[in-house]
Every structure is written in structure tokens, then in C-alpha cells.
Amino acid sequence: MKKQVPLFIVFFIGLLGFLQYFITGPLSKSVYTLLLEWFQGVQGMAIIMAVISLTRRHFTNVRKGKNVFYSLVTLISLYGMMILGIFFGIGKGSIFDKIYEFVMVPLNATTFSLLSFYMASAAYRAFRARSVESALLLLSAFVLMIGLTSFGDVLSESLPYFAQWVLDVPNLAAQRGITLGIALGILATSLKIMLGIERSWLE
Amino acid sequence: MEIGIDIQKLSVLISVIIYTFLLLYFISKARKGEKLFLRKIPGIEAVDEAIGRATEMGRSILYVPGLSTIDDVATIASLNILSRVAKKAGEYETDIIVPNRNPVVYTVAKEVIKQAYTSIGRPDLFKEDSVFYVTDSQFGYAASVCGLMVREKTATNFFMGMFWAESLLLAETGTSTGAIQIAGTDAITQLPFFVTSCDYTLIGEEFYAASAYLSGEPVLVSTIKAQDVMKLIIGFLLILGGFLGLIGKSYILNFIFPK
């Protein structure tokens, strides 16, 4: 029973979602809305458990003296924002909103901008002509980088067209091949779970 | 009440039915004891080696189950792989750290690890703080995991699931700490980043096949075989459709993409 009930629920909900995709009409739409509402409910409950997990982990860190500074920053930020939001509101111009706008958003932007530096270091490693394949990669990357900038147009009128062709034909062909495999993989995984063949989550 | 079948999706429905039959056919073959050949996938073969390396070094394994929600099939595939990885890590008594971005994924990942340790008879290995929630913020999560890799000096990093712009941040930080890294994703735009920064990358279907491949169970392996046969059928249809299209007959194209 301990295994059969969850397997049945998975099969039933999976089948419901599957049929809903193909069936038209208001009933199908209401089933979809209901499933989404249930998911929202589950998500809401899970957030409580997630916050408990975060608190416990960092509280343990502080108690054990491990990465105390980082853990304290996390705990103070988490509960500080919570208190500010509950007692002083989250509307435009509130302290909560200001911290979000002047601390959170710039921090996010800073982390995102680090990407450009990482791209340079990754590109340096990737574009070394060690084999025929990597030489081809280097060549196509070079053509694309030059061709898709205004500099490419100055060098030759046909270079931007060639760069676009590389993107639209060989690149797209490879992408479609991968997409095809992914679609089958998704289908296989869904069926395996629905039919109870893949049950590593239930062992 | 008006109920009908969306005719635009008829080709998808037929493909699913054909595929289900293929799946059941290969499963019955596997159950009869017939051996099925599978080509070697270096990324999957390296999983054992990567876990062994962490054990030898006495360091932890980092497992990132992607940044998507539980309704993403990539996340489910990732959690299946996590189960296999946790079992192997449990056998070697190596710690596994699983930071999560989504609260639902966090709760499921925790249960998956618990179940994996219980199934190998070592429930005592489960540490409550090894699977934890970080934040919902994409770059906040990336910054936290990067910091974790640098501080904990994890020996092996697994990046399995759905990733966006943070993929290179994670993989490059892992490279800088000297960790062996195995990535798997179906995010086509992130694949080049993982290929450049990780030691092994499971591309698309390989990622979905990994769990079955790692389990080695004939029934699960047979599903990969069904996948391959379905690919053959699609390949044949593509060639036939292309040829018919060239001579001005587009029956197949019109059926797959109805106007």
C-alpha cells in the first residue's frame, strides 16, 4: 500500500495532465486551473519548510563557529526583511522596497555582470585549436564574432550574411537534433514515472 | 459540455501512442531476459570515478538539481540521477551537499536522499543540513553556491537539471576550485558553457538516459532502446518528408504541422 498509493496518484495526475493537453473545452481548462491551484498550495506549504531549513542550517553554522559571518548575514537579511515587510509594508517607497531596489537589484546585476569575465576565461580554454573539431569551433566563433558586429560589414559585405548562415543552417541543424533527443527523453521520463517503471523516488 | 480532441495535436498523440507501444515492447523483451546493447556514454561512465575521487580526497560532493521547479521534467530527471548518485556516495560514505532554489524541489530532494540512504541500509548517513534551501533569487542562488564551492572545496560537482544564465558562473567557479565536474541539461543555450567548463557534459537525451543507465536495471535500460528506435522512425519520416516535399507533395509536413 505504501508504494501503490503514491504510484496510483502519480499515474492518475499524470494521465489527467496528459489528457488535458489534447482535450479542448471548458472542462479541460478547469482541470488545468485546478491542478495549477493545487500546485500553488503545495508551493506555499513548501516555502515554510524551506525557510525552516535555511534557518536551521545557518543557525547550526553559527553555533558550530563555521562560516559565522556569512551565516549571520543570511539570517539577519532573511528575518530583517521579513520584519520590515510585515511591520512597515512592501509598497513603493517603503524601507523594504528601498533595500530591494538599492541593495538586492545591484547585487543581482553585479553577479550577472561577472558572467562576461567568466565568458572570456571559458572562451580562452574552448577556442584552442587542439583538434580538427576545436579548430572548426574556433573558426566559426571567429567568423560569428566578426560577422555579427558592424566591423564585419566594413571588412566584407558578405561576411554578416555568412555569419547569419552559420547560425541559421549548421547551428540550427545541430540544435534540432538535440531538441529531438530532448523531446523523446522528456516523453520517456514522463512515461517511465507514470507507469511506475522509474521509481527511484519511491525506493 | 463541449469536449473534443485538439486536431492540431493529433500527430503528437499518435507519436505518444507509438512510443508507448515501443516502450512496452522493449520492457517485455528485457523482462524475458534478452540482453540489450547500449553505447558507452563517457559522462555517465565517469560518475563512479567522480564519486570515488571525492571519497579519496575526503571531501564532499556538490549536487545542484537545476534551478527550475518540480513541474519541469528536467528537474525530475535530475532527482532520479540524484537518487543513484546518493546511493553510490552512501556506499562510499561520502558527504553530498544539495543546495536548492525551489522550495518544492528542496522537499523532494531531501526525501530522495533519505530514501537512497535507507535503500542501501544506511539511514544513519543522512544529515539534515546536507540538503537545504538557499533562495528563490537566480543570482543570489548562483552567488551562494559559488561561495559554497570555494569554502567547502568540494571535490566533485554535479550540475544536473535546468539552468539559465548562471550555468557558466557555477561551472567556472567549480573549475577554478579544481573540482571534477559533470553537467547534464536540456537547456540548449547553456550546453556550450557546460561543455567548455565541465569535464563531462550529458547533452539532451543523454541526461534523460543517465538515471536508467546508472541503475543498470534491464527494464530501465530497455526504455533507452525504445528511445533509439523512436529516433530512427522520426529520422526516416524526416527523410521521407523532405523527399516528398522536394517533389511537391507535403502530406507528412502538413500532418505534423497542420495549418
Side-chain angles (χ1 to χ4, degrees):
Chain A
M1 273 304 264
K2 207 179 157 192
K3 282 188 180 176
Q4 273 136 359
V5 173
L7 279 173
F8 175 75
I9 294 171
V10 167
F11 178 77
F12 181 70
I13 300 289
L15 193 69
L16 214 61
F18 174 77
L19 293 176
Q20 185 278 324
Y21 180 74
F22 296 104
I23 292 172
T24 56
L27 181 69
S28 171
K29 274 184 189 163
S30 59
V31 167
Y32 181 66
T33 315
L34 184 74
L35 286 177
L36 278 184
E37 280 171 3
W38 279 12
F39 184 70
Q40 293 286 329
V42 172
Q43 182 98 356
M45 290 304 289
I47 284 176
I48 299 169
M49 291 170 77
V51 171
I52 294 170
S53 142
L54 186 72
T55 309
R56 192 171 48 208
R57 179 177 163 84
H58 290 284
F59 189 73
T60 312
N61 275 358
V62 173
R63 214 182 52 211
K64 286 183 180 170
K66 187 184 168 194
N67 300 317
V68 177
F69 176 72
Y70 299 109
S71 292
L72 277 178
V73 168
T74 308
L75 288 172
I76 292 168
S77 307
L78 173 70
Y79 287 100
M81 286 296 272
M82 215 182 270
I83 291 164
L84 285 175
I86 292 168
F87 293 106
F88 301 97
I90 56 167
K92 194 88 186 143
S94 62
I95 311 172
F96 183 94
D97 179 58
K98 278 182 181 157
I99 294 177
Y100 182 79
E101 200 178 330
F102 299 116
V103 180
M104 187 67 188
V105 174
L107 278 175
N108 261 334
T110 309
T111 314
F112 183 63
S113 57
L114 282 173
L115 203 58
S116 56
F117 297 100
Y118 283 126
M119 265 184 192
S121 74
Y124 172 74
R125 271 202 312 279
F127 298 151
R128 274 181 296 184
R130 283 168 298 185
S131 60
V132 179
E133 288 89 352
S134 53
L136 266 174
L137 185 70
L138 170 67
L139 189 71
S140 49
F142 185 74
V143 167
L144 275 177
M145 281 191 276
I146 301 282
L148 294 177
T149 57
S150 47
F151 186 60
D153 211 20
V154 175
L155 279 179
S156 159
E157 271 185 18
S158 50
L159 199 59
Y161 291 105
F162 181 65
Q164 198 57 48
W165 178 84
V166 171
L167 272 182
D168 293 344
V169 182
N171 170 62
L172 196 64
Q175 277 199 20
R176 280 185 180 154
I178 296 171
T179 312
L180 208 70
I182 290 170
L184 284 175
I186 288 176
L187 196 58
T189 308
S190 310
L191 283 172
K192 272 189 279 185
I193 290 173
M194 270 177 71
L195 300 174
I197 300 163
E198 171 72 80
R199 50 171 88 176
S200 52
W201 53 279
L202 197 65
E203 282 168 352
Chain B
M1 197 174 275
E2 188 193 327
I3 294 175
I5 288 182
D6 189 346
I7 208 82
Q8 303 278 325
K9 292 170 184 167
L10 196 63
S11 56
V12 182
L13 183 63
I14 292 171
S15 320
V16 173
I17 293 168
I18 295 172
Y19 186 68
T20 311
F21 276 112
L22 276 174
L23 203 69
L24 296 173
Y25 170 71
F26 279 102
I27 288 169
S28 75
K29 267 183 117 177
R31 284 201 171 131
K32 279 175 195 160
E34 199 167 313
K35 280 208 168 179
L36 301 164
F37 171 77
L38 274 187
R39 73 180 166 92
K40 284 193 171 179
I41 300 173
I44 303 176
E45 299 271 316
V47 169
D48 271 357
E49 180 199 325
I51 298 170
R53 184 176 183 261
T55 312
E56 279 171 18
M57 294 174 84
R59 292 193 197 152
S60 328
I61 294 167
L62 174 77
Y63 191 100
V64 180
L67 276 81
S68 194
T69 50
I70 199 78
D71 53 348
D72 193 331
V73 187
T75 309
I76 295 173
S78 174
L79 292 169
N80 285 336
I81 300 169
L82 173 64
S83 169
R84 314 280 177 210
V85 170
K87 272 184 203 167
K88 291 250 158 68
E91 281 163 14
Y92 297 150
E93 293 188 23
T94 304
D95 284 343
I96 184 162
I97 305 170
V98 190
N100 292 280
R101 186 203 174 191
N102 184 273
V104 181
V105 177
Y106 151 70
T107 46
V108 179
K110 199 168 108 175
E111 287 308 310
V112 163
I113 299 243
K114 252 189 209 173
Q115 295 287 344
Y117 285 152
T118 310
S119 73
I120 57 161
R122 294 299 306 272
D124 57 300
L125 286 176
F126 178 71
K127 288 177 189 160
E128 200 66 51
D129 286 344
S130 60
V131 188
F132 55 94
Y133 173 75
V134 179
T135 171
D136 197 36
S137 153
Q138 182 190 11
F139 291 108
Y141 177 84
S144 170
V145 176
C146 288
L148 190 79
M149 282 189 254
V150 173
R151 287 192 301 273
E152 299 277 336
K153 293 267 182 290
T154 49
T156 303
N157 299 337
F158 288 99
F159 303 114
M160 302 280 181
M162 185 65 194
F163 292 89
W164 286 276
E166 71 292 334
S167 64
L168 193 63
L169 292 172
L170 299 171
E172 274 295 291
T173 308
T175 305
S176 72
T177 61
I180 184 167
Q181 305 197 103
I182 302 177
T185 186
D186 62 355
I188 291 179
T189 47
Q190 303 310 317
L191 277 171
F193 295 138
F194 279 137
V195 170
T196 21
S197 300
C198 295
D199 298 277
Y200 299 96
T201 308
L202 304 174
I203 298 170
E205 58 175 337
E206 291 178 347
F207 166 59
Y208 286 105
S211 167
Y213 204 108
L214 283 171
S215 76
E217 288 169 32
V219 172
L220 281 172
V221 168
S222 68
T223 61
I224 304 174
K225 210 72 192 168
Q227 222 167 301
D228 285 347
V229 173
M230 192 66 195
K231 252 195 297 181
L232 258 177
I233 295 172
I234 292 173
F236 173 72
L237 282 176
L238 277 174
I239 294 167
L240 187 70
F243 176 73
L244 287 175
L246 281 175
I247 58 168
K249 314 276 180 199
S250 29
Y251 318 117
I252 295 179
L253 200 69
N254 289 342
F255 178 67
I256 296 174
F257 303 108
K259 282 167 191 162

